[in-house]
Amino acid sequence: MSDLRIGFIGLGNVGGQLAGNLLRHGIELTVRDLDPQRVASLVERGARAASSPRELAAGVDLVITCLPSPAVSAQVMEQPDGVLAGLAPGKIWLEMSTTDHAEAQRLAARVEERGATAMDCPVSGGCHRAATGNISIFAGGSRAAFERVLPVLSILGRRILHTGPVGSASMLKVLTNYLCTVHLAALAEAFTVAKVAGLDMNTTYEAIRISSGNSFVHETESQVILNGSRDINFTMDLVIKDVGLFEALAKDFEVPLELSPLVLGIFRDGARRYGERELSPNIIRRLEDACGVRVLGEGFPAQMVDDEPKIPGYEVVPRPHSL
């Protein structure tokens, strides 16, 4: 167990779950969020509340931010009473938001000017795995910094991958979120074709699950699609933000894209039709409305629940390169 005093800023769908895991493991925790109810919920469970990011950073050893956009992260870090103002030599900042790699590097440089250490540590796997501590974590930063924070990451997640320097983890998170979006758009099309063709949707789900068409997105999001709740605590505006980050990454490295603009257009159209805060699996509504059908199965859960037992997190080591 880590003996670091930890501060957590950003108690949304993922951040609130991660912060709760720290409390369950007896960590001395200080929290900050613009929503007072989210703060109060954790204070009732033993956390302290900070009146500003600066106050939080000044009173802890490790600051974690888990925020909705690069712009919000920059504001929380750089405002006059922001995190940077409270940092000092020996402190650590972990950026667990999904952010732009260049922005992570820029803020990391400012953190290091204060004598503190910076890492980008985005998470992947969904809110249901954040709740249990079984989420995966990408960690970008020096090896020495990684080993220092590994006890904390082992509480928060199950599989932890050291990805290289600061910024590398954010690049990989953007790549994986893009792939999830492609899979979701493809599943919406496949399910609607199956429904219109008269196939049983439970049988369709199993056929995909046991075949080469399977994916993590199918095993999770397909279930709430077929239930009808479409609830994975992720919305279309966040999809558009994430795919936009992927496109910006590709542009930075002059990689021409073909699928990404199509997928981004699909979700922008979904946001126009149903609202930016519509749940992202409801992208299937575009096809349901066009075909006059409702794509549902029987016996699927309304929300995903992680039934894997929590074990201490461990480092995932990449396979060695063949010579």
Side-chain angles (χ1 to χ4, degrees), residues 7 11 25 31 36 49 70 77 82 89-90 124 159 168 185 192 200 233-234 312 323:
L11 306 175
H25 283 80
V31 296
M77 294 295 291
S124 181
R159 301 168 183 88
S168 59
T192 307
D200 178 81
N233 288 308
F234 205 74
L323 297 178

Side-chain angles (χ1 to χ4, degrees), residues 9 52-59 76 79-87:
I9 303 176
S52 71
R54 177 179 183 172
E55 178 188 306
L56 179 143
V76 167
Q79 63 193 31
D81 62 348
V83 170
L84 285 171
L87 292 180

Side-chain angles (χ1 to χ4, degrees), residues 4 60-62 87-93 111 114-117 148:
L4 295 173
V60 301
D61 306 304
L62 169 64
L87 292 180
K91 293 180 183 284
I92 309 168
W93 170 55
V111 167
R114 308 280 302 181
T117 299
R148 187 179 175 193

Side-chain angles (χ1 to χ4, degrees), residues 96-150:
M96 301 194 83
S97 317
T98 299
T99 189
D100 174 73
H101 73 283
E103 184 66 359
Q105 291 167 340
R106 184 186 72 82
L107 290 174
R110 297 208 61 191
V111 167
E112 289 163 6
E113 288 172 357
R114 308 280 302 181
T117 299
M119 296 189 72
D120 59 328
C121 296
V123 299
S124 181
C127 292
H128 62 299
R129 289 191 174 177
T132 59
N134 283 328
I135 206 161
S136 296
I137 303 175
F138 302 151
S142 71
R143 184 71 204 183
F146 175 73
E147 291 179 356
R148 187 179 175 193
V149 302
L150 185 56

Side-chain angles (χ1 to χ4, degrees), residues 13-14 17 21 125-135 216 219-221 232-233 303-308:
N13 291 330
V14 173
Q17 302 289 3
N21 279 331
C127 292
H128 62 299
R129 289 191 174 177
T132 59
N134 283 328
I135 206 161
F216 174 82
E219 292 194 355
T220 54
E221 298 191 38
I232 58 161
N233 288 308
Q303 290 186 317
M304 294 309 306
V305 176
D306 181 27
D307 57 7
E308 279 191 295

Side-chain angles (χ1 to χ4, degrees), residues 285-300:
R285 283 182 61 189
R286 294 171 67 253
L287 296 168
E288 289 178 321
D289 291 349
C291 298
V293 297
R294 182 80 165 142
V295 179
L296 298 172
E298 296 181 359
F300 290 96

Side-chain angles (χ1 to χ4, degrees), residues 20 39 95 132 187 220 233 252 257 295:
V39 173
E95 171 64 291
T132 59
L187 282 164
T220 54
N233 288 308
D252 286 346
L257 301 177
V295 179

